[in-house]
Amino acid sequence: MPTGFLNSLWIIPILGVLILVHELGHFFAARLVGIRVEEFGIGLPPRLWGYTAKNGVIYSINWIPFGGFVKMYGQDDLRPDGGAAYGPDSFVSKSAPQRAFVLVAGVLMNLLLAVVIFIAISAGQGRPVTQLFIDQVVPDTPAQAAGWLPGDQIVAVNGQPVTDANKLKALTDTYAGRTMGVTVLRGGQRIETTVGPRVSPPAGQGRTGVALLTRTDYQPMPLWQTPVEGVKATWQTLQLEVSGLRQMVSGQISPNEIAGPIGMGQITSEVVSRSTLPLWVTLGNLAGFLSLNLFLLNLLPIPALDGGRLVFVILEMLRGGRKVAPEREGMVHFIGLLVLLTLMFVIAFGDISRIVRGQSLIP
């Protein structure tokens, strides 16, 4: 069996753990505020297998292998009575702050998991020290106009030391449409250059028109510093993902670069095959990145996602406790779910087509 395919299978336990942790957040938060949980499911219905525990909770594995859910008593009520027929252990009977807490508990667990993962990497591997090198320069771009060459090491922007790709990208975004000074190291000699990042660069080129190569070494660090390093790594990764989300919304990222679970398997295979780090560090960094990805995506105000449900709770608070009609909210989430499932299948088709064509997701 090809090694690349075997490496791609690592995404299955990674996503399984991330989804499990997310849904456990909802599950325990619901139980904490007194909401009865009817079903704890991995995947989306129809149901493949289920087990009913003594407390009445159904634990299920479902056919559609995307995400998971915690079905709470009275959560998706489509009747116009506002949940009056439900008892005190229902979702609709709880206060708005309690329902908001249950809704955000899943993403908070993903955030906490990412912090724990990055702390563990810091404790086991050390503090990452990166060096940024220019791998490729696209013709007729600001990078070429600045005189950059493949092999140049980027060491500073406007006199500020830069060793992290996330920081460089953030600075480049800040100076879009203006010029910034960049210090490169070439053959042991420091060279001062000036580059003008583009506001709307062509897809796949970035603001300056270079492909970067990051080389990473790890330095030992005292154990007591690892929590700070883990939080720092979490924050830097979040900044990178927020920037990527902005580019996707603004159209700077091509739809062909968006990946679903199948594409994530391809990314996993490529990352594992190229990485020189221990396997557990590579997979840990990937798991931390994806956990934060779930944190961000589920907070978006999209119907059927946690963020979309949270919008209705916030609207209720702003309206002085008056809820949106339950049947309307339920219908919005139902339509949102159908749209999300359709989008997932479209992305899955794109992932399969990309793999068949032999295209890579990593530059």
Side-chain angles (χ1 to χ4, degrees):
M1 190 172 292
T3 303
F5 175 76
L6 292 177
N7 286 337
S8 69
L9 296 181
W10 283 112
I11 195 62
I12 297 177
I14 289 176
L15 289 180
V17 169
L18 300 186
I19 293 169
L20 178 63
V21 167
H22 179 94
E23 299 305 335
L24 283 175
H26 292 309
F27 180 84
F28 288 120
R31 299 290 291 269
L32 184 64
V33 300
I35 298 174
R36 185 189 349 146
V37 175
E38 296 182 321
E39 185 173 355
F40 183 102
I42 299 298
L44 299 178
R47 187 181 301 165
L48 171 64
W49 172 89
Y51 167 76
T52 303
K54 293 182 179 180
N55 59 3
V57 179
I58 300 173
Y59 297 91
S60 65
I61 303 295
N62 298 273
W63 277 105
I64 301 177
F66 299 123
F69 65 94
V70 172
K71 183 180 179 182
M72 290 170 272
Y73 178 50
Q75 181 179 14
D76 292 314
D77 180 40
L78 299 180
R79 295 178 299 176
D81 60 8
Y86 290 105
D89 59 347
S90 66
F91 180 84
V92 293
S93 69
K94 301 303 177 182
S95 68
Q98 287 176 317
R99 283 179 279 128
F101 167 65
V102 173
L103 290 174
V104 301
V107 295
L108 291 179
M109 286 291 285
N110 283 128
L111 177 63
L112 178 61
L113 177 62
V115 173
V116 171
I117 289 173
F118 288 128
I119 289 176
I121 293 175
S122 300
Q125 190 71 11
R127 178 185 290 109
V129 179
T130 59
Q131 295 177 323
L132 294 178
F133 292 86
I134 296 174
D135 187 37
Q136 297 176 359
V137 177
V138 180
D140 301 321
T141 60
Q144 186 184 56
W148 294 356
L149 299 175
D152 287 350
Q153 179 184 349
I154 298 177
V155 295
V157 173
N158 288 341
Q160 182 179 355
V162 173
T163 60
D164 181 84
N166 300 338
K167 184 176 181 180
L168 176 62
K169 188 176 187 310
L171 288 170
T172 304
D173 290 341
T174 300
Y175 282 93
R178 299 182 291 162
T179 59
M180 66 180 189
V182 178
T183 305
V184 301
L185 194 63
R186 182 184 304 161
Q189 180 182 2
R190 294 173 67 93
I191 301 174
E192 302 297 333
T193 69
T194 301
V195 68
R198 297 171 291 190
V199 175
S200 301
Q205 287 192 10
R207 297 195 185 278
T208 59
V210 295
L212 296 176
L213 180 64
T214 303
R215 294 171 188 173
T216 303
D217 293 323
Y218 285 83
Q219 296 178 348
M221 59 186 301
L223 191 61
W224 63 269
Q225 292 182 358
T226 57
V228 175
E229 192 64 33
V231 172
K232 178 182 175 182
T234 301
W235 175 245
Q236 291 174 339
T237 306
L238 266 177
Q239 287 180 307
L240 175 65
E241 295 193 13
V242 169
S243 177
L245 187 60
R246 289 173 179 168
Q247 290 183 343
M248 184 175 67
V249 172
S250 63
Q252 296 180 45
I253 293 181
S254 168
N256 295 329
E257 299 179 62
I258 300 175
I262 297 175
M264 291 178 190
Q266 180 186 3
I267 293 174
T268 302
S269 175
E270 294 178 356
V271 168
V272 170
S273 63
R274 298 184 188 187
S275 176
T276 58
L277 297 172
L279 179 62
W280 75 271
V281 176
T282 301
L283 295 179
N285 279 320
L286 182 61
F289 179 89
L290 292 178
S291 191
L292 291 176
N293 190 261
L294 285 178
F295 166 78
L296 285 176
L297 291 181
N298 275 280
L299 279 180
L300 294 178
I302 299 175
L305 295 183
D306 297 333
R309 295 180 182 275
L310 189 61
V311 167
F312 283 92
V313 177
I314 295 174
L315 283 175
E316 176 186 335
M317 294 179 180
L318 295 176
R319 297 171 64 183
R322 290 189 299 114
K323 297 181 180 179
V324 175
E327 69 275 15
R328 292 182 181 178
E329 179 182 350
M331 189 57 63
V332 168
H333 294 315
F334 178 73
I335 295 174
L337 180 60
L338 292 180
V339 173
L340 285 175
L341 289 176
T342 302
L343 182 61
M344 287 178 180
F345 282 111
V346 170
I347 293 175
F349 178 79
D351 287 338
I352 295 173
S353 300
R354 186 190 310 109
I355 293 173
V356 171
R357 294 194 303 266
Q359 293 180 335
S360 173
L361 271 168
I362 301 178

